[in-house]
């Protein structure tokens, strides 16, 4: 994981906090479309959430030569816990390891602010474990937990 992070930096990849949801969202849609799914939120919904919870939902953009090639959206759930909701990269840049760079920057951001836990989110596709994704997350020291999900319809 450290080697992949260094490779990203050597490739000119960098990640920084951003508020440019309009540039991030089309990349999110493209990445999700490759898996034949849509983002959980529309652009308008994501903007509304950012406005409703200022400072509690963060977007970090990942760039190559000033072009946004990926990003990570995470929620600051409370003063010690955060949750990654979107973690995406443009597949054309995958060999440069931008995902490692963006996760590292989020961990660094949280560490500097005293956060104790980062939930990397789900690691399944259609409820089947995604072993590559699980390995990626474990490279950062994450542990895999299985769990049940319960849903309630909110009107």
């Amino acid at each position: 994981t450290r080697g992949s992070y260094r490779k990203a930096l050597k490739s000119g990849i960098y990640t920084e906090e951003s508020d440019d949801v309009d540039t991030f969202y089309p990349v999110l849609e493209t990445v999700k479309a490759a898996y034949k799914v849509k983002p959980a939120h529309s652009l308008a919904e994501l903007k509304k959430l950012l406005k409703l919870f200022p400072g509690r939902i963060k977007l970090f953009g990942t760039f190559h030569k000033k072009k946004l090639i990926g990003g990570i959206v995470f929620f600051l759930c409370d003063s010690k816990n955060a949750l990654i909701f979107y973690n995406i990269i443009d597949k054309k840049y995958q060999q440069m390891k931008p995902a490692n760079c963006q996760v590292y920057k989020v961990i660094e951001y949280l560490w500097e602010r005293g956060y104790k836990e980062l939930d990397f989110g789900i690691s399944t596709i259609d409820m089947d474990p995604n072993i590559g994704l699980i390995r990626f997350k474990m490279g950062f020291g994450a542990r895999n937990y299985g769990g049940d999900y319960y849903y309630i319809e909110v009107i």
Side-chain angles (χ1 to χ4, degrees):
T1 298
R2 275 181 255 166
S4 293
Y5 172 66
R6 285 191 290 271
K7 180 178 181 175
L9 295 179
K10 286 178 185 174
S11 299
I13 301 293
Y14 62 97
T15 299
E16 61 188 17
E17 192 168 354
S18 175
D19 59 3
D20 191 356
V21 182
D22 290 313
T23 302
F24 168 76
Y25 200 81
V27 177
L28 173 64
E29 285 182 309
T30 300
V31 170
K32 291 290 187 179
Y35 296 98
K36 297 180 173 63
V37 296
K38 291 184 178 185
H41 306 93
S42 68
L43 176 58
E45 290 168 337
L46 189 52
K47 285 181 174 183
K48 184 175 182 178
L49 286 170
L50 289 163
K51 192 173 185 178
L52 285 171
F53 300 101
R56 299 292 300 272
I57 301 174
K58 298 289 185 181
L59 166 61
F60 279 34
T62 298
F63 302 86
H64 182 254
K65 297 182 180 177
K66 298 185 181 183
K67 177 185 179 194
L68 188 123
I69 60 165
I72 191 163
V73 174
F74 60 101
F75 302 157
L76 302 175
C77 302
D78 58 32
S79 64
K80 299 293 177 203
N81 300 287
L83 166 69
I84 294 174
F85 199 83
Y86 294 116
N87 183 14
I88 56 105
I89 58 158
D90 183 328
K91 294 260 187 219
K92 292 181 279 189
Y93 297 89
Q94 190 169 2
Q95 74 284 357
M96 294 179 179
K97 307 298 183 186
N100 295 78
C101 188
Q102 61 194 27
V103 171
Y104 178 86
K105 285 298 181 180
V106 168
I107 291 171
E108 183 179 67
Y109 174 90
L110 295 170
W111 178 262
E112 290 170 353
R113 287 156 180 80
Y115 281 77
K116 301 294 181 195
E117 291 194 22
L118 173 61
D119 183 335
F120 277 79
I122 64 171
S123 300
T124 59
I125 297 173
D126 294 327
M127 300 306 290
D128 289 325
N130 181 331
I131 302 304
L133 182 56
I134 292 168
R135 282 193 190 119
F136 172 79
K137 293 174 180 183
M138 291 177 82
F140 288 95
R143 286 172 265 141
N144 190 23
Y145 292 100
D148 295 325
Y149 289 90
Y150 300 93
Y151 298 90
I152 186 169
E153 187 174 334
V154 179
I155 299 174

